[in-house]
Amino acid sequence: MDVSAPEPLPGARLLFSHDAAVAHLNHGAFGMVPIAVQRAQQRLREEMDANPHRFFAVGLEERIAHVRRHLAAFVGADPDGTALVENATTGTSIVLGSLGLGTEDEIVTTDHGYGAVDLAVAATCRRTGAVHRVARVPLVADDATIVAAVVESITARTRLVIVDHITAATARVFPVQGIVEAVRARWGERVAIHVDAAHVPGNLDPAVGELGADFWTGNLHKWAFAPRGTALLSVAPAWRERIRPLVLSWHVEASFPDSLEWVGSHDYTSWLAAPTGLFVLRSLGVALVRRHNAALAEHGRRVVADAIGAEVPAATGLPMALIPLPAGVAADPAAATALRRRISDELAAEVGLSAWRGRGYLRLSAHVYNRPEDYQRLAEGLPKLLIR
């Protein structure tokens, strides 16, 4: 199938400082910070280092609150119920630590969940005696199947359901609104729902305030051009007084969200520079960027899949695309990590690799700095590397 590459956005590649000798095809992992955002953060660091005491002691809380309002508006969240945190995994860990779980409780996730979240759930279960239940969802499933798999995994002991909006390992969009509505219809408010939306800001319009979930967390440093270490945790009104920070600092007795945001000598410049990232994204055109990225990701996937003879599922409209690897290749996490490093070292290409249900999958991302030749380079070198 011929999927043509989209026209590049004029001048977009010049907005970044990445190494042009490398094919950067894993934007979904750590993002790519535009030069304008780098400079904005550097100016903030210079201000901080010129007079650290004044930077931290005079007006910083108000500046953080201003940024929070700006970022919350971007995702449609209530700014008074939203806190800035380091990343989506941190937000999830805060939720897990605030529920008061015990031996009679269960946490439900899906087998598409993010690995670090699974580790946090496992640690919580060891500490509290709670039980972790995993809903199995097929790689290619319609919305009704996904909703049913989650709802049917809930029992009378379930206290928390964690669902991804965009899955990291498998690059699928889950119907979180349908899941929330189905859980509410069957279990009411008894079961709390946490949406892991790490990849959503910049990709989708989540309208967090209308979602009806108890908790929502999303990264701004992946697809919204913020400096790394910038994410949001949004909490429904009924839970805000129960949220506890992972690290206790001077504002531990303050109300949410201030109790989470003040962690002493944290480098707040990433948060303060985040609105510049949104400015860059909006200047390019949010809808235009999304269309470009989705089309380029699908083009790249077809080029690489054809090169290794892989069949791929239907396009998802995301800027991340999945390619199944031959059976036995990268079939476990250690092998996937090793192969990713070989691709980086030998092909000068950065990709995502995961092992899911005993099968290795290559995940390709696309953003405005990518070109078709980035994927062609991978397609030319990958077949020989896989044979070796």
Side-chain angles (χ1 to χ4, degrees):
M1 177 180 179
D2 177 34
V3 179
S4 300
E7 289 295 320
L9 274 61
R13 199 166 194 177
L14 300 176
L15 300 175
F16 301 87
S17 60
H18 61 286
D19 183 354
V22 177
H24 299 274
L25 306 178
N26 196 16
H27 185 96
F30 302 105
M32 190 76 74
V33 183
I35 295 171
V37 183
Q38 296 177 39
R39 291 176 176 170
Q41 185 176 17
Q42 183 56 35
R43 287 193 295 271
L44 289 161
R45 285 177 172 151
E46 291 169 357
E47 176 192 348
M48 176 175 61
D49 290 325
N51 190 337
H53 191 278
R54 182 173 183 82
F55 180 87
F56 284 96
V58 180
L60 181 57
E61 296 169 45
E62 289 78 10
R63 295 171 78 175
I64 293 171
H66 175 74
V67 168
R68 183 204 316 133
R69 289 191 292 269
H70 189 88
L71 300 183
F74 180 68
V75 298
D78 175 6
D80 294 328
T82 302
L84 280 153
V85 294
E86 188 173 5
N87 54 42
T89 305
T90 299
T92 299
S93 293
I94 290 169
V95 171
L96 289 168
S98 300
L99 295 184
L101 297 169
T103 57
E104 300 299 318
D105 300 323
E106 293 177 346
I107 303 168
V108 170
T109 66
T110 78
D111 58 352
H112 293 248
Y114 186 53
V117 170
D118 288 338
L119 291 173
V121 170
T124 299
C125 290
R126 287 194 299 270
R127 176 174 53 84
T128 65
V131 174
H132 182 195
R133 294 172 58 86
V134 180
R136 291 176 63 85
V137 178
L139 179 62
V140 180
D142 59 24
D143 287 357
T145 300
I146 298 171
V147 172
V150 173
V151 173
E152 290 168 6
S153 297
I154 298 173
T155 74
R157 295 177 56 184
T158 303
R159 289 280 309 283
L160 178 68
V161 173
I162 303 176
V163 291
D164 294 60
H165 197 163
I166 297 176
T167 65
T170 55
R172 314 299 296 177
V173 179
F174 273 17
V176 291
Q177 185 74 65
I179 292 171
V180 171
E181 292 173 355
V183 173
R184 290 284 181 257
R186 185 164 176 177
W187 297 98
E189 302 295 328
R190 184 187 178 283
V191 176
I193 306 167
H194 173 49
V195 175
D196 182 349
H199 288 273
V200 167
N203 273 331
L204 304 175
D205 296 316
V208 175
E210 302 174 10
L211 187 59
D214 299 276
F215 313 101
W216 180 98
T217 186
N219 293 324
L220 277 295
H221 57 244
K222 288 185 180 288
W223 301 95
F225 290 154
R228 294 170 195 91
T230 306
L232 295 174
L233 170 63
S234 188
V235 179
W239 291 97
R240 291 172 191 172
E241 292 184 1
R242 300 173 60 178
I243 292 294
R244 295 293 178 265
L246 298 177
V247 178
L248 305 185
S249 190
W250 290 103
H251 289 198
V252 65
E253 299 300 330
S255 60
F256 180 88
D258 187 45
S259 60
L260 292 189
E261 291 176 339
W262 185 260
V263 285
S265 56
H266 174 79
D267 185 353
Y268 296 97
T269 62
S270 61
W271 297 356
L272 298 180
T276 305
L278 293 187
F279 176 80
V280 173
L281 180 59
R282 286 167 168 153
S283 295
L284 290 169
V286 176
L288 180 61
V289 168
R290 290 175 180 171
R291 289 195 300 272
H292 170 275
N293 293 351
L296 185 57
E298 186 59 21
H299 168 79
R301 179 169 73 153
R302 295 290 178 176
V303 168
V304 176
D306 288 347
I308 65 172
E311 294 185 7
V312 296
T316 62
L318 292 175
M320 299 187 296
L322 209 65
I323 301 173
L325 295 174
V329 175
D332 60 70
T337 298
L339 179 57
R340 177 181 58 77
R341 289 174 176 170
R342 287 184 62 199
I343 292 172
S344 177
D345 293 341
E346 299 179 30
L347 304 182
E350 303 295 349
V351 301
L353 267 165
S354 63
W356 189 76
R357 291 192 184 180
R359 183 75 182 267
Y361 289 89
L362 178 72
R363 191 189 74 184
L364 299 179
S365 296
H367 220 303
V368 296
Y369 53 81
N370 289 124
R371 294 291 184 269
E373 51 266 32
D374 295 333
Y375 306 91
Q376 187 61 43
R377 174 196 300 178
L378 179 63
E380 291 172 357
L382 188 58
K384 293 181 181 179
L385 189 149
L386 291 180
I387 291 173
R388 294 205 308 272

